[in-house]
Amino acid sequence: VDLKECLQSAEFISSSNENFKILEDGSVYTTSAVSLSAEKKTFTILLKDIQEHVQKKIHVSLVEEEKKKTRHARDTVLKRTKRRWGPIPSVMIENSLGPFPLQIQQVQSDTAQNYTIYYSASGPGIDQDPKGLFYIERETGNIFATRAVDREQYPSFQIICFATTPDGYSPEVPLVHTIRIEDDNDNAPYFTQDLFEFSVPENSKPGIVVGKVTAEDRDEPYTLHTTLKYRIVSQNPPVTPAFSLHGDTGVIAVLLPQLDRELVSSYTLLVEVRDMAGQPFGLCTTGTAVIRIEDTNDNAPCFKQTQYETRVEENRVNVEILRVSVVDLDEPGSPGSGAVYEIIRGNDDRSFEITTDKNTNEGILCVVKGLDYESAKQRILVIAVNNEAPYMLAPHSQQLSQSTSSVTVHVLDVDEGPVFKPCHLRLDVKECEEIGTSIGKYLAEDPETGNSEGICYRIPPGQCNWISIDEKSGEVRTIKVLDRDVGEMRRGQCNITVLAIDRNGKTGTGTIQVVIQPGNKNYPRITKTDYIMCRDRKPICLTAQDGDESPYSTPFVYRITDRSLASMWKITRHNDNSVYLSPKGDTPFGIYNIPVSVIDNGGKVGENLVKVNLCDCVTPTECDSGPRSYSNGNVTLGVWAILAMILGSLLLLLILITICGCCGSGVMHRHVTDDCANHNLIISNTEAPGEEVMDHNVIPLQNTNDQGGYGIKTGDQQTFEVVKGRGHTLESVKGGGHQTLGSVKEGGGQPMMDTCRYSYSEWHNFTHPRLGEKVHLCRQDEEQKHSEDYLLSYNYEGKGSLAGSVGCCSDQHEEEALDFLDQLEPKFRTLAETCVKR
């Protein structure tokens, strides 16, 4: 590269990649074998003019030469290559004394006469290459060192030698020569810490590791110059050696079988480290290790006195009466010396308590319950002491017994007030007791005399005013009716403080706890009494509630008090407070007011009236606003319903007379019109029967599932079903749908296949109740009046009429269900012809 063109006054030339070196003439050389990876395809040459503070950069891109195609073996041309001289690495002693300049090596070339070198150092000082350390004689190729070298700074050098002709041409590849600096033991080892601190528990067994001291050496690794040995120079205090030091690893271990903290709390060791494997001529350094002995609880506490004596007045509470102290050789303030006191004898009634003063380690004996001089004039206690930490027996020592001390407490007599016995009295009283009821007595005694004479009783104001106490006798009475549902009595209890005063004015206190026991004051009642039951006759769940508590609430007993209704309705148990109500057999539709009594577990009876609307409906919403009602099983109809029944009966009478006339004239021979199917196949229980339906060839079918229909008589024994309807039909004269009109005529059993029609009375018995229900279910206008066309029969409207049935009671869904007749007209015409035996 042409350096002068970029910066002619360059004083400093460097490369961003250490694998490439640039000489002053612009020549670029590799300093080691180079692999042209993706990261090393470019590098930068940096030129600096230090005086002018100018800096330039030259970017160099390296391109890998394409490999030439390999010739065949017969085309291979063998060429002679000149052998190159490779000198072995040179060695230079560290801190060599010279004389300098010191010849290191000589390089020669057969074709060149001038020699130049470029060298680099490896080591901690690589960023500070020692300028002028080496030079080469231009004519002879001798390499010289100008001064001594520190190996720790420059472990080795690489010399790149260039041979050039007088005109500046380099006929040969540069020669790389390595100069290694041989180590001299000029560095003494040193410890990594100024002071090593360790700790070990007392009484540790020999061989327990305490810690490790470490040292380093800056000389060449893995040589004798860095092979270190450790030893203990001295121990303070200078007693029996307590620790050992491993010479190679520097590990300190316990040597003395008995380390007693109470005798020696810490040891100071002076340790030495020496290189040359510990040889006397090696370099050495000393350090310090301090080992602290940790305390263990190997000394049991002991009382300073074995006997104590003290005094206390009777009835004094929470008062300190004595302090006891102990001696413990363990470390103060540690768990091994912290005292824990306990009373092991003489405190069965828990009148005394002993605690530890953390500051002084003393035991504080207190009275927590008042002492009675009349009961005991003195008390003797036995106190023992332990440590917070468990006791650890030292080696070669005997087990010590627990230290104890006895304390004699003298009780001093004091004139005291009355004492209630017991001090806390519980009185249970039933709820709703009468005012003035005596619920018990609460008496106090004079400790001096042992009786209750001359003692007055009083309840201080400001407490619950449920009860009173007689001033002389102490009898407790109620002054209110106790009710757990009123005011403060809802809590069910009250604590009352009672005062007892003797002749001398001394006062004693006691407490009465009045507890109100639940009573049977509430009647059970059914929460919901209005129900609607549809035709599925699903049982109704009756649930009762009682405000009382156990045992005056559940389980409940339900009964129907009306005999006539009890024969129609039944009650089935569900759980403790619920039952199921359901009708028996074929109970007629209607509204029933059923008297039901509920008896709780305490015997109280609650009378309830359950209203059940047994309605001919699918969902309860259909009967929410129905006007009909049945009271106690009796049917009551409105004026409009009676009028509708009369008009309907007259209409049906006219229809029956017409049908009977047809029955006597034999088989009808009529031409079947195109719209005949619309009359013969109308569902019978949806609207009024048509004319042709009552032909003697069409007979009712027996059905046991409340679905009516008509069949076609094609012979003496064979019938088949044409149309089925829902609800009540001619076959279900009575409830349940199991009897037909034929069974009514014959008095039950199998119907007779009669060629004549049914009589007027049979038709009247069937239609009268059904027509009443039909009238009841018809829609009403805003003034609760029936529509004007709800009693009109549906006549023939003409062939192909698109109007259909437009009565007020017609079913839209059934109207739409007949649309399929438009697609199946030929089949139904044939069926209609069969009906009239065409």
Side-chain angles (χ1 to χ4, degrees), residues 416-441:
E416 50 192 338
V419 176
F420 282 98
K421 291 184 178 180
C423 62
H424 186 279
L425 177 64
R426 172 176 172 143
L427 296 177
D428 293 336
V429 57
K430 288 187 178 180
E431 196 174 8
C432 300
E433 289 284 357
E434 295 181 358
I435 298 176
T437 301
S438 176
I439 61 175
K441 280 189 176 183

Side-chain angles (χ1 to χ4, degrees), residues 340-495:
V340 178
Y341 301 90
E342 62 175 336
I343 304 173
I344 61 176
R345 199 161 51 246
N347 191 33
D348 296 336
D349 58 352
R350 304 293 181 184
S351 297
F352 300 91
E353 184 181 85
I354 188 168
T355 57
T356 303
D357 188 337
K358 297 297 183 180
N359 297 324
T360 63
N361 209 30
E362 293 178 325
I364 305 174
L365 182 63
C366 298
V367 178
V368 294
K369 288 184 180 180
L371 301 178
D372 187 6
Y373 173 81
E374 288 72 25
S375 299
K377 294 178 175 57
Q378 71 176 17
R379 302 281 295 272
I380 297 177
L381 309 176
V382 178
I383 302 174
V385 64
N386 292 301
N387 288 129
E388 296 176 5
Y391 179 74
M392 298 179 63
L393 187 64
H396 311 293
S397 62
Q398 297 180 355
Q399 181 69 40
L400 298 177
S401 60
Q402 187 181 35
S403 179
T404 60
S405 179
S406 63
V407 179
T408 302
V409 181
H410 299 280
V411 182
L412 304 179
D413 187 20
V414 177
D415 185 14
E416 50 192 338
V419 176
F420 282 98
K421 291 184 178 180
C423 62
H424 186 279
L425 177 64
R426 172 176 172 143
L427 296 177
D428 293 336
V429 57
K430 288 187 178 180
E431 196 174 8
C432 300
E433 289 284 357
E434 295 181 358
I435 298 176
T437 301
S438 176
I439 61 175
K441 280 189 176 183
Y442 195 31
L443 301 178
E445 295 180 358
D446 190 337
E448 309 297 334
T449 62
N451 55 51
S452 303
E453 295 181 1
I455 298 177
C456 298
Y457 304 94
R458 189 173 61 189
I459 297 177
Q463 305 185 66
C464 56
N465 53 355
W466 305 349
I467 65 172
S468 64
I469 188 168
D470 188 87
E471 183 177 356
K472 300 297 182 182
S473 64
E475 187 174 10
V476 181
R477 296 178 178 274
T478 61
I479 59 177
K480 282 187 177 182
V481 177
L482 304 185
D483 189 349
R484 292 169 58 92
D485 296 332
V486 178
E488 296 181 353
M489 299 182 190
R490 294 179 181 176
R491 294 180 296 178
Q493 68 177 28
C494 181
N495 294 333

